[in-house]
Amino acid sequence: MINDILSALQTGRPELAERLSRDALAARPGDSDLTLFLAISLQQQARLAEAVPLYAALAESHPDSGLHWGNYATALRSAGREQEAEAAYRRALQLDPDNVEQLLNFGLLQLHRREFVAARDTLLRAHALDPASLSARIHAARACAVCRDSRIEDLLRPWREWKDLDNDLQFELADLHLVLGEANIARVLLEELLERNPGHLPTRMLLAAVYERINDLDASDAMLATIESEYAQLDGDMQLETLRLRAKLCLRRGLPDEARSLLERAGPRADDDYGHFFVLAEVCDKQRDYPAAIAALQEAHARQLEELRVAVPQRFAPGAPIFPAAEGHISVEEYRRWPVLQAPDASHSPVFIVGFPRSGTTLLEQMLDAHPALQSMDERPFFTILADQLSDYGIRVPRDLDKLDQHICDELRKGYVSLVCAKIQRRWDARLVDKNPLNMLWLPLIHRMFPNAKIILALRHPCDVLISNYMQNFRAAPLAAACASLEKLAEAYVTAMRCWLHDVEVFQPDVFVSRYEDLVADPETRTRRIADFLGLEDATPLLRFDQRARDKGFIATPSYAQVTQPVNRKGLDRWRRYRQALAPALPVLEPMLRHWGYSVD
């Protein structure tokens, strides 16, 4: 009888398992195993009101069994009784603290309850106990993604080795790659999943969003049309996602009025749905309804900050710096005491593109990537990772950089190359272009590793920079937190720029300042000067960047839609439309406006 019940449960026949369990219990009332099978069969039929009391009875009759307490907790969680479920999971883990399954279930409950930091720690512990568990690894990566924890990349790095993922885990893996900016990987995973499970609606919806993200608007439109034709009635969340993606496609095709109508029909999905308001703000901006755009942005950032306060509470601790990397400076005297070490020359060093975000760094990157002698890789936080690794050995950046000897610097450069090669297929006949705007804060470490590197600083009117940043839905916690208000964003800009100017004075790196306004006004002359700075004989490929960007399809940056277009002047003086909203930020910006010679007249 027991084998028959197990077979019925394992082959998706819970009704049969229920009947067999009840028949057996009639002969053996109170049998724990049979009661458990009955509870499982009822749970599989979504009859939780009947299943939960059975699980409760088993936990009460076996108070020292972590298994029964865990089963009871999971049933409570499925029934929406989350507070009781938490207590039951804690009891189960008190009895069996290293039970990976219970840790995993408890972590998922914490994640659902928006206890993000606790969920991350619980799921990372499950992964540490069982590194082979793909479920623990992928869900831990999800918690790290919410907490903006860079360990997500380590958790997902071996994904190509994972075989026979179930559909749910493969969908989660695809979504996580999209979070990481790996839209092409997400596309491959989702298309493969759709072949196995063609009727899975969430896969279709996410794939439609991925197609938009890789600039295949026709494929996105076709996928949405298929969904709408096959599903007469979508549930609430799916309906909202469909309307929002339709709005984004309308916006991409220059139809802001249609986009706004769709967004207003949809509305936000929930209190934590700040993405809706970022899209609405972009639409209102295109309609020249600037007050509405600012109102939408204020709502978007307010909702996003509520999530960040839970996900990255350290960013909001009293006295927490806007940019930790900007803390602590090396003086000229301290720099002179650094040991002289061997380092690569400029031709064997990366070209670094830096500048406050939204200053034109992506345009410069795509221009350089269009040249056959150069290879870019989108934005990667490699120096943050290397600094964290040094911190693990007690070396603080920049304060302890004088402690780095030849061996350590050589190893750091090897580590940097390994990080690069994990992300792109390196062309060794091309110089690497490393574009990450806030690498401007890591100049001391960059200079220690690559003192002869060529660096391009992207510069743009600070008011345009502020407005453009305020319109972005940043995943990076420092930038998202800085966007709490335009005044706070101005403080972040000034902090980053002062850090840069100090370090440039100390280290005297080889820097070319590229003003966005000059580049779009006279691209031929400015690209020629950039090419001369980098020692490139032919500057003409730099002017064909838009075609190169379209050929690439996916670009991991908020500017992904703009850089597929030729150089244009649309981004100039955008801030003037928002002068009233910018007014509180102007006194904060004044020192940098004056330093770089920009006017607000």
Side-chain angles (χ1 to χ4, degrees):
M1 179 69 74
I2 294 292
N3 289 337
D4 292 339
I5 296 171
L6 283 172
S7 176
L9 289 172
Q10 292 168 354
T11 55
R13 295 175 293 165
E15 297 87 352
L16 175 60
E18 178 192 356
R19 181 170 59 79
L20 293 173
S21 296
R22 291 190 187 280
D23 290 346
L25 278 168
R28 294 159 54 187
D31 184 281
S32 296
D33 290 339
L34 293 172
T35 302
L36 177 60
F37 294 149
L38 176 59
I40 294 171
S41 69
L42 293 169
Q43 186 174 4
Q44 287 186 0
Q45 297 175 71
R47 291 160 60 186
L48 290 168
E50 299 170 68
V52 168
L54 295 175
Y55 284 121
L58 288 167
E60 289 169 7
S61 61
H62 299 80
D64 296 327
S65 169
L67 172 65
H68 286 308
W69 279 102
N71 288 338
Y72 179 38
T74 299
L76 287 167
R77 175 177 149 223
S78 299
R81 295 160 62 179
E82 295 179 354
Q83 190 167 350
E84 296 169 84
E86 178 180 352
Y89 277 130
R90 291 192 184 279
R91 176 64 176 154
L93 289 168
Q94 184 181 23
L95 294 165
D96 189 1
D98 292 340
N99 187 303
V100 172
E101 182 178 359
Q102 302 306 342
L103 283 167
L104 179 56
N105 287 330
F106 185 35
L108 291 174
L109 173 64
Q110 291 172 314
L111 201 57
H112 179 71
R113 298 185 72 189
R114 298 174 61 79
E115 298 167 359
F116 299 130
V117 175
R120 179 198 61 188
D121 295 344
T122 300
L123 292 166
L124 284 173
R125 174 165 166 72
H127 165 65
L129 288 168
D130 186 4
S133 168
L134 296 184
S135 183
R137 181 183 285 267
I138 290 171
H139 289 305
R142 169 62 66 189
C144 285
V146 176
C147 293
R148 276 67 170 178
D149 189 320
S150 62
R151 282 175 286 186
I152 180 178
E153 299 215 21
D154 293 332
L155 289 165
L156 298 185
R157 185 166 291 121
W159 71 271
R160 291 178 178 83
E161 303 167 10
W162 302 342
K163 306 298 182 186
D164 301 322
L165 280 176
D166 67 37
N167 291 347
D168 290 340
L169 285 180
Q170 183 152 334
F171 179 84
E172 185 75 2
L173 179 61
D175 190 49
L176 285 168
H177 276 295
L178 191 58
V179 168
L180 285 175
E182 301 283 5
N184 282 317
I185 294 174
R187 176 185 59 80
V188 170
L189 289 166
L190 290 169
E191 288 178 344
E192 177 186 285
L193 181 55
L194 204 57
E195 287 182 8
R196 294 205 309 260
N197 191 10
H200 192 238
L201 180 57
T203 299
R204 290 182 170 189
M205 280 299 309
L206 187 57
L207 187 54
V210 167
Y211 285 145
E212 185 274 333
R213 189 63 183 83
I214 62 175
N215 295 309
D216 193 344
L217 305 188
D218 290 340
S220 181
D221 205 12
M223 182 65 72
L224 281 179
T226 300
I227 292 170
E228 291 163 347
S229 67
E230 293 185 10
Y231 294 88
Q233 187 68 39
L234 296 169
D235 68 29
D237 282 352
M238 283 296 175
Q239 179 68 21
L240 295 181
E241 288 300 317
T242 301
L243 290 170
R244 184 181 299 175
L245 186 51
R246 279 274 179 222
K248 291 183 76 172
L249 291 170
C250 286
L251 188 61
R252 295 286 302 275
R253 290 184 164 122
L255 302 170
D257 293 344
E258 292 183 29
R260 187 165 182 175
S261 176
L262 289 165
L263 289 172
E264 289 174 347
R265 279 175 55 197
R269 187 173 52 207
D271 289 343
D272 60 348
D273 182 12
Y274 49 83
H276 167 85
F277 293 95
F278 279 111
V279 180
L280 179 60
E282 189 177 358
V283 169
C284 292
D285 178 73
K286 292 291 188 292
Q287 290 182 307
R288 302 184 180 183
D289 187 351
Y290 306 126
I294 286 293
L297 289 169
Q298 289 170 338
E299 184 67 26
H301 289 297
R303 293 184 181 220
Q304 186 178 48
L305 284 170
E306 287 304 309
E307 178 182 290
L308 288 173
R309 287 190 177 93
V310 178
V312 282
Q314 68 275 16
R315 293 284 175 196
F316 300 90
I322 296 175
F323 296 122
E327 296 293 295
H329 293 296
I330 300 295
S331 68
V332 173
E333 293 73 21
E334 289 170 322
Y335 174 51
R336 287 172 180 162
R337 293 197 292 270
W338 282 16
V340 177
L341 306 175
Q342 293 181 342
D345 62 17
S347 65
H348 293 90
S349 299
V351 175
F352 292 99
I353 301 175
V354 302
F356 203 83
R358 310 299 294 163
S359 294
T361 55
T362 302
L363 175 60
L364 286 166
E365 177 207 18
Q366 296 306 311
M367 283 182 163
L368 297 187
D369 189 61
H371 198 288
L374 302 171
Q375 181 184 17
S376 76
M377 55 181 174
D378 293 325
E379 296 179 19
R380 302 295 176 192
F382 292 149
F383 288 93
T384 303
I385 295 170
L386 294 174
D388 288 344
Q389 292 174 355
L390 287 171
S391 178
D392 291 341
Y393 291 94
I395 297 175
R396 300 165 300 166
V397 178
R399 182 57 51 202
D400 297 328
L401 287 176
D402 61 315
K403 298 178 182 178
L404 303 189
D405 58 20
Q406 186 69 54
H407 172 73
I408 295 175
C409 284
D410 288 343
E411 290 302 308
L412 281 172
R413 284 187 284 268
K414 290 179 185 176
Y416 175 84
V417 171
S418 295
L419 290 170
V420 169
C421 291
K423 289 299 178 185
I424 61 170
Q425 187 171 352
R426 186 76 173 92
R427 289 192 290 112
W428 297 106
D429 61 340
R431 287 167 68 186
L432 186 70
V433 176
D434 186 338
K435 186 270 290 189
N436 189 322
L438 288 180
N439 272 349
M440 66 188 300
L441 304 176
W442 293 111
L443 183 56
L445 181 56
I446 291 172
H447 187 73
R448 179 74 284 190
M449 293 171 58
F450 300 104
N452 302 305
K454 301 278 188 178
I455 302 176
I456 301 175
L457 172 70
L459 198 64
R460 184 183 180 191
H461 195 301
C463 292
D464 273 333
V465 171
L466 252 62
I467 285 297
S468 189
N469 273 275
Y470 197 57
M471 289 195 165
Q472 301 310 312
N473 181 2
F474 286 115
R475 268 202 48 76
L479 287 169
C483 287
S485 69
L486 283 165
E487 189 173 5
K488 187 172 180 62
L489 190 54
E491 293 173 7
Y493 179 89
V494 171
T495 297
M497 197 59 74
R498 280 180 170 156
C499 177
W500 166 261
L501 292 172
H502 170 87
D503 289 341
V504 165
E505 184 176 352
V506 171
F507 300 110
Q508 299 291 308
D510 192 2
V511 176
F512 179 91
V513 177
S514 175
R515 288 182 184 260
Y516 179 80
E517 294 82 4
D518 294 340
L519 185 60
V520 300
D522 188 359
E524 290 83 1
T525 299
R526 301 309 295 179
T527 53
R528 177 68 265 168
R529 291 183 182 177
I530 292 170
D532 290 343
F533 173 69
L534 298 178
L536 303 172
E537 293 184 3
D538 183 10
T540 55
L542 277 63
L543 296 172
R544 296 194 291 268
F545 73 92
D546 55 314
Q547 182 58 54
R548 166 69 174 158
R550 286 193 294 273
D551 292 342
K552 288 172 70 174
F554 175 72
I555 299 166
T557 171
S559 311
Y560 69 94
Q562 293 99 308
V563 295
T564 58
Q565 304 170 16
V567 172
N568 59 73
R569 302 173 64 87
K570 293 178 182 177
L572 295 180
D573 289 332
R574 188 185 190 189
W575 68 272
R576 295 185 184 279
R577 309 163 196 166
Y578 296 96
R579 181 187 286 272
Q580 184 176 354
L582 273 168
L586 293 180
V588 181
L589 282 180
E590 195 276 333
M592 290 302 120
L593 289 164
R594 181 165 24 90
H595 177 86
W596 293 114
Y598 284 103
S599 170
V600 292
D601 295 333

